[in-house]
Amino acid sequence: MVTSGNASMKADADRSVPLELLTPLFSGIDADFHLLDKEIRDTDRAVASRFPNIRCHEHEIVDIADVAALASRMDRVVTVCTMAAHLAGALGLPAWVMLHDKPYMIWHDHASTSPWYPSLRLFRQRRLGDWGPVIEDVVRALNNGGV
């Protein structure tokens, strides 16, 4: 799971999801979660420490090859629009991408799939800044066996 990108990027506030908002995943689904963020924000680290099923890998990640190696060991990568989404797609790994309302142009406007990366499924905000329905959709999909 990758929940945030480079904090200095102009659109980072739109695309990153505070880990606190994702707690329905961690408490409602019987699974282990692995944070593949290279840098975990202090607020996110505090949330992660409350859940025994979350493992942080920031100290194992030096470069993109480390992210690729870890991601390839996961059943599925759940990410926001970051390098990890493109990496998973390029490697053909199963991944779900949570997109804000005005995403990068390659994600097109309303599709739930990407012609660029067939292994990705897209979950979109309906209203800018409202991650609640996106997270509900991800939880529902996970509870349905990933469908």
Side-chain angles (χ1 to χ4, degrees):
M1 173 167 276
V2 179
T3 62
S4 60
N6 183 340
S8 65
M9 186 177 167
K10 182 180 176 185
D12 185 64
D14 292 334
R15 71 170 175 165
S16 292
V17 179
L19 205 57
E20 184 67 42
L21 295 179
L22 294 164
T23 58
L25 285 172
F26 313 133
S27 58
I29 295 175
D30 183 24
D32 291 324
F33 295 89
H34 299 264
L35 292 182
L36 304 180
D37 298 85
K38 184 175 180 182
E39 295 178 12
I40 298 175
R41 298 171 188 190
D42 290 339
T43 53
D44 291 346
R45 189 177 295 103
V47 172
S49 71
R50 298 189 338 238
F51 294 91
N53 59 336
I54 298 177
R55 180 165 177 213
C56 299
H57 293 276
E58 67 183 322
H59 300 296
E60 300 167 48
I61 298 173
V62 175
D63 58 25
I64 193 170
D66 297 321
V67 176
L70 287 164
S72 68
R73 297 176 61 203
M74 304 295 149
D75 294 329
R76 174 177 295 106
V77 174
V78 178
T79 182
V80 293
C81 182
T82 64
M83 170 275 304
H86 299 280
L87 180 64
L91 294 173
L93 301 175
W96 291 351
V97 184
M98 298 180 291
L99 299 172
H100 64 81
D101 185 52
K102 304 292 181 210
Y104 184 53
M105 66 179 185
I106 70 157
W107 304 122
H108 300 284
D109 282 337
H110 299 289
S112 62
T113 59
S114 166
W116 297 94
Y117 304 126
S119 67
L120 303 189
R121 179 174 175 189
L122 309 177
F123 293 82
R124 299 172 177 276
Q125 281 185 350
R126 294 159 185 90
R127 196 175 66 231
L128 187 60
D130 187 6
W131 287 108
V134 175
I135 295 163
E136 289 170 9
D137 291 345
V138 170
V139 168
R140 189 176 309 105
L142 284 172
N143 282 327
N144 289 328
V147 179

